[in-house]
Amino acid sequence: MINEKIAVVTGASRGCGRAIAEKLGSLGAKLTVVGSSDDIFKTAEKLKDKGYEVLAVKADVTNEEDVADLFKQTFDKYGQVDILVNNAGVGQFKLAEEHSLADFKHMFEVNVQGVFLCSTAVVPHMKERKEGTIITISSDVGRRTIANGSVYTATKYAVQGFSGSLAQELREFGVRVGTVNPGAIDTYFADSEPGLDFKEDWLKVDDIAEAVAYMASAPKHMVVDELMLHPLSQEYPNV
C-alpha cells in the first residue's frame, strides 16, 4: 500500500524522522525529507545510498513561505503527495513559571503551527484526489498532563484537537488523519542524546517508524485514528 507513494516527512534530519523516512523508503515510497538545518542533505544522501528516491528540502515548518516552497518542490518533482508525516517537534520540561514567553511561542510555533501549515498545504490536493494520509507524531501527554511539562503538554493537546477535527472534515473525501502518541523514546528529543544507560528500555525510533508504516499502509477503507505506544518500563495510568 506504500510502494510508489509520495511521502513527505518533516523533522527528518535525525531521530524519529529519519527512521520514519528510512522505513517508508524501504517499503517503496518516494520521499521528500524536510529539516531546518543543512543536516537534512546529509540524511538525504544516506537514504539515496540505500537506493531510495529522495528530495531534500531545508525549511522551517513555522514559516508559511518555507512550507509553500517545500510543497512546490515536492509537486514539481513528484506531482502529488500521498502521505504527510508531521514529525518536527520541540520540547522543554520545567516548571510553568520558569518558561519565558519566547519558550512558549517557540513550542507552539513548531509543534502546532508547523502541523497546521503543513497539513493545510496538502489538504486541497488530497481532497481533490479523494485520497491521502496525514499522520502527526504527537505524544502520550496529548491525552494526560504531567508536572514540569505544562507548555509542551498544551501543544500536544492542541495537536490532538486539530487532528481530530481535521479527521472529521476530511473523512468524506477519503482522506485519513491520525496521530502516533508515544511515551518515552530513546532519541535526541529535548536536547538529550540517544543510547544513554537510563534509556535502555525506552521505545526506539524504529518503533515509531513501524507505527507510522502501519497507519500509512492500512487499506483505503480503514483509518487508524491514533496509536498509543509505551515502553513496558514506563508507568502510565490505565484510564
Side-chain angles (χ1 to χ4, degrees):
M1 298 294 291
I2 293 177
N3 189 45
E4 296 297 314
K5 298 293 186 181
I6 311 304
V8 177
V9 183
T10 68
S13 294
R14 62 182 187 174
C16 290
R18 183 163 68 184
I20 291 166
E22 288 182 358
K23 181 62 180 180
L24 296 180
S26 74
L27 296 172
K30 300 177 182 180
L31 303 167
T32 293
V33 292
V34 185
S36 59
S37 74
D38 289 337
D39 289 343
I40 195 63
F41 300 112
K42 299 176 185 177
T43 294
E45 289 306 313
K46 292 177 180 178
L47 293 170
K48 290 176 182 177
D49 288 344
K50 293 177 179 287
Y52 309 149
E53 187 169 349
V54 184
L55 168 67
V57 180
K58 180 181 176 181
D60 176 357
V61 297
T62 74
N63 183 289
E64 190 171 13
E65 292 182 356
D66 278 14
V67 171
D69 180 65
L70 84 86
F71 284 106
K72 181 181 185 304
Q73 290 189 53
T74 300
F75 286 122
D76 285 348
K77 180 174 178 62
Y78 299 121
Q80 64 190 59
V81 174
D82 300 293
I83 302 164
L84 168 64
V85 183
N86 291 306
N87 172 72
V90 295
Q92 295 182 24
F93 298 89
K94 50 191 175 183
L95 295 173
E97 69 269 22
E98 294 175 349
H99 282 294
S100 66
L101 182 58
D103 294 336
F104 180 93
K105 288 182 175 179
H106 181 57
M107 277 188 273
F108 266 89
E109 286 172 353
V110 177
N111 297 354
V112 185
Q113 185 171 309
V115 170
F116 165 77
L117 288 174
C118 291
S119 299
T120 54
V122 297
V123 161
H125 168 73
M126 290 182 173
K127 287 173 69 173
E128 182 178 356
R129 293 181 61 229
K130 296 194 180 301
E131 65 176 303
T133 302
I134 299 172
I135 299 169
T136 298
I137 308 304
S138 182
S139 171
D140 62 348
V141 300
R143 294 301 190 193
R144 66 184 180 114
T145 57
I146 58 171
N148 299 307
S150 57
V151 178
Y152 178 73
T153 297
T155 68
K156 293 307 181 179
Y157 267 73
V159 164
Q160 293 296 145
F162 175 76
S163 298
S165 292
L166 188 64
Q168 293 182 33
E169 294 172 9
L170 298 181
R171 184 174 292 114
E172 65 179 287
F173 297 96
V175 179
R176 308 179 298 188
V177 180
T179 60
V180 176
N181 304 338
I185 312 171
D186 179 16
T187 186
Y188 296 94
F189 186 69
D191 297 323
S192 184
E193 289 291 329
L196 300 176
D197 289 345
F198 72 90
K199 296 182 178 182
E200 181 180 359
D201 296 327
W202 288 17
L203 297 173
K204 308 306 177 189
V205 294
D206 288 342
D207 299 325
I208 312 307
E210 290 287 347
V212 169
Y214 172 72
M215 295 179 78
S217 61
K220 288 185 67 173
H221 69 277
M222 171 181 161
V223 57
V224 182
D225 300 287
E226 61 181 296
L227 288 174
M228 188 81 76
L229 312 175
H230 290 102
L232 281 172
S233 60
Q234 181 181 355
E235 292 186 10
Y236 185 80
N238 185 23
V239 294

